[in-house]
Amino acid sequence: MTRFKSFFATICSSVILFAGHHAHADQVELRQDQLQSIGPLGWIAPQLEIPKAEAHLPIVDPKDSSPAASLLRRYEARGIADGLTDVVYDNRDRDHSKLPQAAFPQLTHLRYGPSLREQSLDYGLAGRIILPATVIGNSSTALTQRPSDRSQARFAMTTPGGAERAFLTYANNHVYVYPEHRDHDDADLFPANWPYTLISQGSSHSDMPFVKALVMTVAAFSKETRDFLEAERLVGPTLQMIFRRNQKGLYTPEQYLSPAAHPTVYEANRLAPERMVAMAAALKPDEIPPMVHIDIEAEDFSDAAGLAGMSERLFRTSSAIARVWRSEAYSRSMTVSAEKTEDPNGRALSFEWVLLRGDPDKVRISPLTPSGSKATITMDWHDTRRIAPGEMRTTDRVDIGIFAWNGSHYSAPGFVSVSFPLHQVRRYEAVGEAKTMRLVSVDYSNRDNPKYVDPLVHWTANWRDEFTYGSSGAITRWQRVFPDATMVIQGEGAKSSVSAPLHQLELEDGRPILVMRNALELEN
């Protein structure tokens, strides 16, 4: 069978070969001279030797009396749970929120050599170094310098190369946990959703319950299952599926295919580690679902849209695609394919496309193939809304999840996300019998009802634009309303033959502001 391989998986093909060193050690040091460049995304460490744990060491701390730990011991006694040999723990906050060595005696803790620490390659967001092992890690850190302060996960979503590195970890058996740290309080500030990381509600130390649950889940896999997962590079997708499938109160496949199972950020009180351990121990190699691979075949999101002419294409990775709505249009569409998704055991696949966030009256998903491997998505402009009935937190995003079904299990989702600039106040009107929607006004100023504007994604301007249309549907008057003046840009009263003003983005206290750079005069 010819399996789909991403560029990143191909260049990292050597990292799944484990060395045969058997000396007991509770940590391993990674040095600069062990790194091999893979270009602008970072390095791999194919020569790193992962020490083997001594046979007598328990999987989990004997003092741990939690239901998950007790269940794991039973699986170990029955010869089911393979334990944590060759599994690495990567703490990336310099021991601020660290998993104790005693919690999992078989687990190898990663240390960074002096040169790597000097370059801060041991700190913050992961993804620049890929190790030859299954890796569970965390960084209980955030960027705190305003105005670009944000969580590590939102940093990855909004900076060049960040999404690609996140996918690189996901596709090479690494899973990292980061706190949301003020990015998910009154409002969800994330511009996208994805399966590449887990994001915990809260700040420092909120990540640790998730790290422990993930380590226990890895330990519960049988040897055959874990060997298969590592060889097929499916540890990350499978852990995400198990985690999402086994949250408290979500017990059926129908509940798994629902918004409740796939928020941007997770609460620790929804964790059910014992359910995760049980599912991992029962999972057979021939039941493992695939990683979902998606691609856009056609879309009307562009590389230059809106007054600032900015790209609407935030990122495009193999299991998550994110767009930013900048156009003045009321409706947008894209055709998305999951046809490159292949089951690791060659099983036939079918696909479910689920609106995980958004107004069901404004999002239409039309499958184009009998298996559901391809669909057209059409969506309308969304205003700010509550994430779910009864929840106070607001969102400016639409999420669609794509799930592959192999006859035994649904996969972890692939995501298509669209972020709206909802600091803008837009008004559309319906016209004619077809009720075609057209833009009547848009306020870019964020003055009357100020809300957070991400300076790495959005901009503001000091005006409101208003449009009047003729019987043909063409704009007959375009006026720009400032706090103390009005300019007619198009139509009667315009003082220039220039068809449209010129615009330029400038930084003001680190925030992008759109300004006009032509000679049109203001009209009092």
Side-chain angles (χ1 to χ4, degrees):
M1 175 182 63
T2 301
R3 298 191 63 249
F4 174 84
K5 287 189 176 181
S6 70
F7 168 72
F8 306 112
T10 300
I11 62 178
C12 294
S13 60
S14 62
V15 302
I16 61 171
L17 301 176
F18 299 137
H21 184 58
H22 287 271
H24 166 62
D26 60 7
Q27 59 187 12
V28 62
E29 184 175 85
L30 179 65
R31 304 186 311 274
Q32 180 82 49
D33 62 6
Q34 294 171 310
L35 301 185
Q36 176 181 323
S37 174
I38 55 173
L41 289 181
W43 301 268
I44 57 175
Q47 304 307 316
L48 182 67
E49 295 185 346
I50 311 301
K52 303 290 184 180
E54 292 185 357
H56 72 277
L57 292 174
I59 293 177
V60 64
D61 184 356
K63 297 179 182 178
D64 187 342
S65 59
S66 66
S70 299
L71 189 59
L72 191 55
R73 290 189 195 97
R74 291 201 293 272
Y75 289 135
E76 181 183 21
R78 292 167 54 190
I80 297 174
D82 190 43
L84 295 166
T85 297
D86 294 326
V87 180
V88 173
Y89 168 62
D90 182 13
N91 174 265
R92 301 189 55 80
D93 54 33
R94 294 173 182 165
D95 298 346
H96 172 60
S97 177
K98 183 181 180 182
L99 187 67
Q101 179 69 47
F104 300 98
Q106 296 179 3
L107 187 64
T108 298
H109 287 227
L110 183 67
R111 290 188 61 227
Y112 290 82
S115 175
L116 300 181
R117 292 198 300 271
E118 288 172 6
Q119 300 172 68
S120 294
L121 289 173
D122 66 320
Y123 192 77
L125 189 65
R128 289 178 290 176
I129 299 175
I130 299 299
L131 302 180
T134 290
V135 177
I136 305 297
N138 69 302
S139 185
S140 204
T141 61
L143 285 74
T144 58
Q145 185 174 355
R146 294 185 177 182
S148 299
D149 48 325
R150 63 199 56 232
S151 67
Q152 295 290 359
R154 183 155 68 103
F155 177 66
M157 293 177 180
T158 53
T159 54
E164 289 76 11
R165 290 190 184 98
F167 171 71
L168 188 61
T169 62
Y170 183 68
N172 283 281
N173 301 331
H174 294 34
V175 179
Y176 287 89
V177 186
Y178 305 101
E180 53 82 22
H181 186 63
R182 302 178 183 174
D183 280 353
H184 198 255
D185 295 339
D186 295 335
D188 183 343
L189 304 183
F190 292 89
N193 201 344
W194 63 18
Y196 302 152
T197 61
L198 280 177
I199 309 171
S200 60
Q201 183 67 41
S203 296
S204 291
H205 309 291
S206 64
D207 47 354
M208 195 48 56
F210 296 86
V211 172
K212 291 178 179 177
L214 290 172
V215 172
M216 285 187 174
T217 304
V218 171
F221 289 131
S222 69
K223 184 180 188 310
E224 294 75 19
T225 295
R226 207 180 102 202
D227 285 350
F228 188 87
L229 289 171
E230 288 175 340
E232 296 293 322
R233 302 179 186 278
L234 290 173
V235 172
T238 302
L239 286 178
Q240 283 280 4
M241 179 273 289
I242 291 173
F243 164 76
R244 294 163 185 261
R245 180 70 176 80
N246 290 287
Q247 299 168 74
K248 289 180 180 177
L250 303 177
Y251 303 131
T252 67
E254 292 74 22
Q255 289 171 320
Y256 179 65
L257 299 177
S258 76
H262 309 282
T264 324
V265 174
Y266 289 88
E267 301 271 2
N269 61 12
R270 294 182 62 186
L271 273 168
E274 66 280 4
R275 289 176 54 88
M276 295 169 64
V277 165
M279 186 172 189
L283 188 64
K284 301 295 188 289
D286 63 356
E287 299 173 341
I288 294 168
M291 178 195 301
V292 170
H293 295 281
I294 55 175
D295 200 6
I296 291 184
E297 294 192 346
E299 63 176 320
D300 56 16
F301 290 89
S302 74
D303 286 327
L307 296 182
M310 293 177 65
S311 176
E312 296 182 293
R313 296 165 179 170
L314 184 60
F315 61 78
R316 181 176 181 170
T317 57
S318 196
S319 296
I321 294 169
R323 296 295 184 250
V324 180
W325 190 304
R326 304 190 191 279
S327 165
E328 294 82 9
Y330 180 76
S331 297
R332 314 296 298 278
S333 67
M334 61 177 71
T335 298
V336 181
S337 173
E339 290 177 325
K340 291 182 179 178
T341 305
E342 294 188 21
D343 188 76
N345 291 288
R347 290 182 177 218
L349 297 174
S350 60
F351 296 84
E352 295 286 344
W353 299 68
V354 181
L355 179 62
L356 298 174
R357 179 171 297 185
D359 184 343
D361 292 331
K362 293 185 175 184
V363 179
R364 297 164 291 283
I365 304 172
S366 303
L368 300 175
T369 60
S371 67
S373 61
K374 186 187 298 187
T376 294
I377 301 168
T378 305
M379 66 182 68
D380 303 331
W381 174 265
H382 280 57
D383 292 315
T384 297
R385 60 204 177 282
R386 305 294 180 187
I387 287 177
E391 181 170 346
M392 299 304 294
R393 189 178 290 116
T394 61
T395 182
D396 294 350
R397 200 179 72 237
V398 167
D399 289 336
I400 293 163
I402 302 97
F403 301 82
W405 168 254
N406 68 356
S408 292
H409 295 287
Y410 282 107
S411 68
F415 285 95
V416 173
S417 297
V418 177
S419 175
F420 292 77
L422 294 184
H423 61 284
Q424 299 177 7
V425 179
R426 297 192 182 192
R427 186 164 69 88
Y428 292 87
E429 66 177 6
V431 181
E433 293 182 3
K435 299 297 182 182
T436 302
M437 302 295 287
R438 64 189 182 190
L439 186 65
V440 175
S441 68
V442 52
D443 191 338
Y444 300 102
S445 67
N446 197 35
R447 277 193 304 266
D448 295 338
N449 186 26
K451 64 181 298 185
Y452 173 80
V453 180
D454 188 338
L456 300 188
V457 180
H458 297 300
W459 49 267
T460 59
N462 192 31
W463 62 74
R464 180 179 74 253
D465 282 345
E466 298 177 342
F467 305 94
T468 303
Y469 299 83
S471 57
S472 67
I475 294 176
T476 56
R477 182 179 178 85
W478 172 9
Q479 68 179 21
R480 180 158 289 173
V481 181
F482 294 87
D484 54 0
T486 298
M487 168 193 295
V488 179
I489 294 174
Q490 180 180 335
E492 185 178 354
K495 294 187 176 183
S496 170
S497 59
V498 177
S499 60
L502 305 176
H503 299 97
Q504 178 179 323
L505 280 173
E506 295 185 353
L507 289 179
E508 184 177 301
D509 296 326
R511 293 176 169 85
I513 307 293
L514 194 68
V515 297
M516 293 177 57
R517 286 303 179 204
N518 65 350
L520 288 176
E521 297 178 358
L522 288 179
E523 158 181 292
N524 293 324

